[in-house]
Amino acid sequence: MSQDVTRIVVFDTTLRDGEQAPGFSMDVAAKLQMARALDALGVDIIEAGFPIASPADSEGTRQVAAAVTRPVIAALARCRPQDIEEAGRALEPAKRRRIHTFLATSDLHLERKLRITREACLDAIVSAVRLARQYTDDVEFSAEDATRSDRDFLCRVVEAAIREGATTINLPDTVGYTVPDEIREFFSEIRRRVPNADKAIFSTHCHDDLGLAVANSIAACEGGVRQIECTINGIGERAGNASLEEIVMALRVRPDRFPFDTGIVSEHLFEASQLLSRLTDEPVQSNKAIVGRNAFAHEAGIHQDGMLKDARTYEIMRPKDVGQSAEQLILGRHSGRHAVARRAEQLGLALTPDEIAEVYHAVITMGEHRKSIGDNDLRRMVERVRTGHTTPA
Ligand code: KIV
Ligand code: ZN
């Protein structure tokens, strides 16, 4: 990494924020399998669960903490003694552990949800961070709904949490409300105004309600954030969290704009995405950036022709860099002759110009009725053309 590239810590919350979303729950065995994949991917921190939420959550956290030793293992806890004690217990086997304690700081949450005053909120945070520090030196405090919180109050909260020993301060955009310019200024302002801000790492945790979670996370780095919280496939509450794979590849593909990088082994991204999809029985959207089935697929003839001449015409990253297979030229109604000929050649069927014309015609005709055409379809078409059968296969 060159000197002017700043390393961003990747805090993966697939097993906590992601897992708590409808349809994405995982049993202990599934969590363990996913945690091993996250380890291989190179994430810095795995948030393994919210131990007070259920015995299964606590057991899942404990087993991940025992089995996965390279990354820091984090457990979530509200600013309540029982939560922090349970998180501390579940993290006992971990080689490196973090307690992640949180409390909402916006007036809306304080008045309408928690029904407590700002002063009571501040007291609870101070006590929670102090207690968490008795279990580990690595304590993260999150101010839930931070981006909609009063700035003066938020500065007091952050200063107090750092004073009590929080080493990471996470300011979540809990409801996916902010926009890139705003969150960049937000972090710059908080870091400027909090006198002990240099004693902690600032972290961003963006939800995707407006589809801006990835853009907001990167803008937050421009505002001084050094940890991003994200999930595989962007799973998480409601519209999800910022997608890990999109952040990682945006930073890799555009270093000219973003002087940041992560320790992620991008070649494992597709594998991790597929594993999560299998474990949760939830498909990945086919046009999902980076890991979707169509992310590197080309069907339009003009695109296929460009791809065959120079892949850079229609691809800004190589499929193999994210673990996807190369040159996915889909045969269908929109395909071009070049792609048909290339696919046949790859199947060991070198075609003459006349055969190409006939097979191409057969492909287009079949494509009228079918979404895509497989290798066996193509083999049959070639055979029919060669044996003089003119009707489409
Ligand atoms: O979205 C959120 O605010 C959270 C916190 C618990 C970190 O998930
Ligand atoms: Zn969240």
Side-chain angles (χ1 to χ4, degrees):
M1 200 183 294
S2 87
Q3 266 185 337
D4 43 13
V5 173
T6 301
R7 171 75 152 76
I8 299 296
V9 171
V10 173
F11 177 113
D12 181 279
T13 184
T14 305
L15 300 180
R16 198 281 297 169
D17 208 321
E19 198 262 352
Q20 76 192 40
F24 288 93
S25 69
M26 282 175 252
D27 61 19
V28 173
K31 275 194 165 191
L32 262 179
Q33 225 182 317
M34 197 63 217
R36 291 200 169 97
L38 294 170
D39 183 13
L41 192 58
V43 308
D44 301 288
I45 299 156
I46 295 176
E47 186 163 52
F50 185 12
I52 198 76
S54 70
D57 232 312
S58 191
E59 184 56 21
T61 305
R62 172 172 275 276
Q63 292 209 21
V64 169
V68 182
T69 53
R70 185 199 51 83
V72 172
I73 307 299
L76 188 68
R78 288 167 298 184
C79 285
R80 297 183 182 187
Q82 317 87 284
D83 284 39
I84 293 167
E85 287 154 12
E86 186 61 31
R89 269 195 294 277
L91 289 172
E92 262 163 18
K95 196 159 166 218
R96 300 162 70 203
R97 63 187 71 90
R98 170 178 296 188
I99 292 184
H100 175 195
T101 186
F102 76 100
L103 188 57
T105 50
S106 67
D107 288 334
L108 181 62
H109 280 236
L110 294 182
E111 287 164 18
R112 309 292 301 176
K113 182 183 81 171
L114 301 169
R115 300 183 200 280
I116 58 171
T117 62
R118 286 184 181 179
E119 293 314 308
C121 168
L122 200 51
D123 287 349
I125 292 165
V126 165
S127 308
V129 173
R130 199 177 287 166
L131 178 59
R133 278 297 301 241
Q134 292 180 17
Y135 290 87
T136 171
D137 290 346
D138 188 344
V139 173
E140 171 169 334
F141 170 70
S142 283
E144 190 188 5
D145 207 19
T147 52
R148 294 193 302 170
S149 299
D150 175 81
R151 297 276 169 101
D152 293 343
F153 180 58
L154 190 58
C155 286
R156 286 179 64 205
V157 162
V158 171
E159 185 181 353
I162 296 174
R163 195 187 320 112
E164 292 307 322
T167 44
T168 301
I169 296 293
N170 183 42
L171 301 179
D173 183 33
T174 302
V175 289
Y177 179 71
T178 196
V179 298
D181 282 348
E182 186 178 52
I183 196 167
R184 185 186 305 112
E185 286 155 20
F186 167 77
F187 275 104
S188 298
E189 180 188 333
I190 302 286
R191 287 177 51 250
R192 195 174 56 245
R193 290 182 52 192
V194 171
N196 53 2
D198 60 323
K199 306 270 184 309
I201 287 183
F202 279 76
S203 165
T204 190
H205 174 116
C206 296
H207 279 271
D208 208 29
D209 300 66
L210 293 175
L212 292 171
V214 169
N216 286 338
S217 302
I218 294 173
C221 291
E222 293 170 331
V225 152
R226 294 296 173 258
Q227 172 180 289
I228 294 182
E229 303 197 353
C230 47
T231 59
I232 300 293
N233 297 341
I235 69 168
E237 285 286 354
R238 305 179 310 281
N241 286 74
S243 139
L244 181 149
E245 56 278 4
E246 293 178 21
I247 292 168
V248 167
M249 293 315 292
L251 300 183
R252 293 267 158 92
V253 171
R254 297 305 306 269
D256 55 323
R257 301 295 300 190
F258 309 129
F260 310 107
D261 202 3
T262 65
I264 295 298
V265 186
S266 64
E267 290 78 5
H268 290 327
L269 285 170
F270 185 62
E271 195 185 321
S273 159
Q274 289 290 302
L275 176 66
L276 178 63
S277 169
R278 282 198 303 279
L279 291 174
T280 56
D281 208 14
E282 284 285 338
V284 180
Q285 183 187 328
S286 58
N287 62 326
K288 166 86 178 61
I290 319 295
V291 291
R293 196 178 65 238
N294 284 355
F296 297 92
H298 308 270
E299 184 176 330
I302 293 171
H303 290 213
Q304 293 183 335
D305 183 39
M307 283 295 299
L308 290 169
K309 289 174 175 149
D310 186 333
R312 291 172 305 174
T313 52
Y314 288 102
E315 282 181 354
I316 58 167
M317 60 197 122
R318 295 176 306 181
K320 69 174 187 179
D321 292 342
V322 303
Q324 289 242 40
S325 50
E327 206 187 273
Q328 301 172 30
L329 301 182
I330 308 301
L331 296 188
R333 187 164 63 88
H334 306 103
S335 304
R337 279 165 210 268
H338 291 102
V340 172
R342 164 68 76 102
R343 192 78 204 111
E345 199 182 314
Q346 285 168 342
L347 296 174
L349 303 165
L351 303 178
T352 65
D354 284 349
E355 286 172 340
I356 292 173
E358 284 191 62
V359 174
Y360 170 69
H361 178 71
V363 166
I364 300 298
T365 308
M366 183 181 266
E368 295 291 337
H369 316 286
R370 291 259 291 269
K371 272 193 172 179
S372 65
I373 293 161
D375 289 347
N376 283 338
D377 297 317
L378 189 62
R379 283 194 188 92
R380 271 195 297 276
M381 287 174 193
V382 172
E383 198 184 313
R384 283 177 160 266
V385 164
R386 286 185 171 163
T387 57
H389 291 81
T390 48
T391 47

